[in-house]
Amino acid sequence: MIKAVIFDLDGTLIDSAPDIHAAANRMLADFGKPPLDLPTITSFIGNGLPKLAERAATAAGLSKDDFAQAIAKTGIYYGENPTTLTQTYAGILPLLSALRDRGIKIGLCTNKPYDPAIACLNDFDILPFFDAVVAGDTLDVKKPDAAPLLKTIEMLGETEVLYVGDSAVDYDTAKNANVPFAFFTGGYRTQPDEFFQECWHFDHFDQLRLRLVPPRAYLFDVDGTLAETEEVHRNAFNAAFDRAGLGWQWSRDEYRDLLKTSGGKERIKKHATNIGSPDVLSDQQIKDLHHSKTEIYRDLANSALTPRDGVMALIEWARRTGVTLAICTTTSRSNIDALVKRFWNCAPEDIFAGIYCAETAPQKKPDPQVYCQALDDLGFSAQDALAFEDSHNGLTAARRAGLDVIVTPAIYTSHEDHGDATDCLTDLTQFMRKYCDAT
């Protein structure tokens, strides 16, 4: 179990390249040299500010005789404005807060000199989170030598640690110190992903938080998330339309479009409007038609439904490790009963601590009602729970409730925008491999 997390600074906690870029170009201007572009300067980051200044001077055509002055000027200029253009990466503050709340110590191991490093942490109001800071001028050597990281570990007083960084320098430092490494892909690395072997990759700090501070509750959508149910639903709708003599048949493309509208009765109304006959069915007729569809779906589910990859294993693991489970869906209770009976041969309450559905939360997704209801009823904060969804509507609902969201797109939702998800994965087997100590 991880007892301490140590971070690199530039390209990991903060995007400092714009201020470093400005300082380096100010130095070059003093020598009458044209500015270098941001990607070029960014590629020089990793071995400390003096080495960056030397690389910038070389790229600009300065002689070695000018290096000492170039290094001194860059240090002065950067020290004057270390955070004017700099920003922390998204998710840093929630991660640091979550680590502190769980009693996990936090350290910093950077090649940046101590004074500007402390200034950066202080300016972004995150200095109080750090229990130890080792900078580029703390020791006589810098990363990738193992000594700075080992010194940070010594100061923290813990041996079960994780080092988090964004570059080959950080990766090599962790290897040299024999310390597990987590690789942030959104920083300043110049090597391809394949270079960073045998370490955990992530592209947003919410993902790292999810890995290091596991949620206490899993909230599952049903249709498309636990099973590829939508084709069964489509067939049930079409069979109900035949039974009612309506002559309607929803193609896969039509149904994909109708899925933008949450709720079965609502989709029937939407279809009637689409074909220019919004009043062809009364509210009671729509209710009766949907009831017929639900009966047909239940019969089909008994033979046609199979769980998506990883569903059974994840729920078994969660139950074994004490994670609270709940259903949060806009489908009807009878559909949930049919699916749970098919997969586990029991009542939903035997698996899930709460069942929140169309009957309990009439406001359909993307309204967050069903998730807010689950959190209130189960007594969890949004920070303690994780939602599993397959669709944009579901993702939006969960996000509006303040939840982290794992999206595993289904057949009918793979084309949707899931960019706001905490992570978007192929299936829940991939989730277990990435986030659970289960496989």
Side-chain angles (χ1 to χ4, degrees), residues 173-190:
T173 302
K175 284 180 63 178
N176 292 337
N178 196 28
V179 169
F181 182 66
F183 169 52
F184 174 48
T185 63
Y188 301 153
R189 54 81 175 267
T190 56

Side-chain angles (χ1 to χ4, degrees), residues 66-284:
D66 294 321
F67 282 5
Q69 191 176 2
I71 291 169
K73 284 178 175 289
T74 303
I76 292 170
Y77 295 150
Y78 181 67
E80 292 174 354
N81 297 288
T83 58
T84 302
L85 304 173
T86 296
Q87 297 180 354
T88 58
Y89 285 100
I92 289 296
L93 185 57
L95 169 62
L96 296 178
S97 297
L99 293 175
R100 182 181 61 187
D101 290 346
R102 292 287 178 96
I104 298 173
K105 294 181 180 180
I106 303 171
L108 182 75
C109 182
T110 176
N111 277 341
K112 185 188 289 293
Y114 184 84
D115 287 344
I118 293 297
C120 288
L121 298 180
N122 190 58
D123 285 355
F124 292 109
D125 297 322
I126 58 175
L127 180 58
F129 288 102
F130 287 84
D131 302 293
V133 174
V134 172
D137 50 3
T138 302
L139 303 177
D140 292 335
V141 294
K142 293 181 174 64
K143 300 182 297 181
D145 193 290
L149 183 54
L150 294 175
K151 178 64 176 178
T152 314
I153 294 170
E154 177 188 337
M155 293 170 67
L156 291 171
E158 301 288 352
T159 56
E160 298 177 70
V161 303
L162 175 72
Y163 187 46
V164 182
D166 71 293
S167 69
V169 170
D170 300 323
Y171 174 72
D172 288 340
T173 302
K175 284 180 63 178
N176 292 337
N178 196 28
V179 169
F181 182 66
F183 169 52
F184 174 48
T185 63
Y188 301 153
R189 54 81 175 267
T190 56
Q191 292 79 9
D193 283 354
E194 293 74 20
F195 176 86
F196 300 89
Q197 298 292 323
E198 297 181 1
C199 62
W200 196 76
H201 293 213
F202 68 99
D203 57 35
H204 194 288
F205 282 91
D206 285 348
Q207 296 171 7
L208 183 61
R209 173 170 50 81
L210 192 61
R211 173 71 186 187
L212 296 177
V213 187
R216 296 186 170 100
Y218 288 168
L219 311 180
F220 290 95
D221 174 54
V222 173
D223 293 319
T225 301
L226 294 182
E228 289 280 9
T229 58
E230 294 300 353
E231 188 65 1
V232 182
H233 279 295
R234 185 179 73 90
N235 291 333
F237 273 115
N238 287 338
F241 299 154
D242 283 342
R243 181 183 291 179
L246 288 170
W248 296 351
Q249 285 289 297
W250 289 348
S251 68
R252 289 182 177 179
D253 287 342
E254 287 175 312
Y255 191 59
R256 180 178 290 108
D257 187 63
L258 287 166
L259 284 173
K260 297 174 184 176
T261 301
S262 296
K265 293 187 286 292
E266 290 77 8
R267 289 177 196 135
I268 295 172
K269 290 181 181 180
K270 177 67 173 175
H271 175 72
T273 300
N274 288 347
I275 64 174
S277 303
D279 301 321
V280 67
L281 296 173
S282 67
D283 287 346
Q284 185 59 49

Side-chain angles (χ1 to χ4, degrees), residues 341-418:
K341 178 70 173 177
R342 168 71 174 167
F343 291 176
W344 289 281
N345 194 31
C346 65
E349 288 80 5
D350 293 335
I351 304 291
F352 300 95
I355 312 297
Y356 308 96
C357 56
E359 288 84 354
T360 69
Q363 298 300 318
K364 308 294 186 182
K365 298 173 185 177
D367 191 284
Q369 183 186 42
V370 70
Y371 281 113
C372 294
Q373 185 180 86
L375 292 171
D376 289 344
D377 188 49
L378 296 171
F380 288 105
S381 69
Q383 290 70 40
D384 285 330
L386 174 65
F388 293 87
E389 284 283 355
D390 75 295
S391 69
H392 180 74
N393 275 352
L395 167 61
T396 302
R399 279 302 199 189
R400 287 178 178 173
L403 289 158
D404 287 313
V405 190
I406 298 297
V407 171
T408 53
I411 293 171
Y412 278 102
T413 59
S414 59
H415 66 290
E416 296 180 348
D417 178 12
H418 304 124

Side-chain angles (χ1 to χ4, degrees), residues 229 232-233 236 294-306 334-343:
T229 58
V232 182
H233 279 295
T294 299
E295 289 182 335
I296 296 169
Y297 173 84
R298 186 167 58 246
D299 292 339
L300 292 174
N302 287 332
S303 60
L305 287 183
T306 57
S334 61
N335 290 342
I336 300 169
D337 291 343
L339 182 142
V340 173
K341 178 70 173 177
R342 168 71 174 167
F343 291 176

